[in-house]
Amino acid sequence: MRRKRLAVVMAIMLAVMNIAAQEKKEGYVVNSFWSNWFVQAGLDMSLQNPYGHDFGDVFPNGKSFGVHAALGKRFTPELTIRGRVNWENGIKLLKNGHDNWLAPFYQPGENMDKGGYVTFVGDIQFDIHNLFCGYRTDRLWNLQVFPRLGGAYNFGVSKGTPLLGLGVANTFRITDNIGIYFDVAYNMVSSGFVGVEKNTGTGSNSNGFFDIDLGVTLELGKTRGFKKIEL
């Protein structure tokens, strides 16, 4: 009886090892350098969180709106590199009365009158679905996480700052060429980004802001996706 059980266990183990070996022998490569490029464009909302201020007060004080655009390339099913530019609080059509925490501090409308601010960032996106659930071209929803590095310039106080962030991206497939994305990221910037003023708590340590993005993705080129190969 024990021999039969041992034989069954060994057979199962061999089957699992064989499946694992088969999976290791399979991989994906990009069709060419010109494939798997995409562009994105959309609207975003930022929520400023200056040092020394309660995030619970962000809606009456730290909200702004802007536009952004991005260019990216998928190098593997799991790895995507994306460059992104954002112009925030500089378009009169998107004006709101909740920008007290955008430098110059507590002067509503002044930041927009001076041009708002811009950010330039690079994102390294890791696709969670493809990493743990396997690559599928017909998947309707993919989840990515990404670290972010770049810079920002605030026209309101004529100051620049390095930027370091972390975010979560959601992509939704509509057709083979078009998709929708929804991203949320937290960006850390220096105190100079919000201006150094007395009694505001912004004169030292780091500051940050959330940005929440919604937009459309357009796939470029005639070839896209990845070819399966034997490793």
Side-chain angles (χ1 to χ4, degrees), residues 2-14:
R2 289 181 179 177
R3 290 181 179 179
K4 290 183 178 180
R5 291 179 180 176
L6 182 59
V8 171
V9 171
M10 291 182 65
I12 294 174
M13 290 179 63
L14 287 171

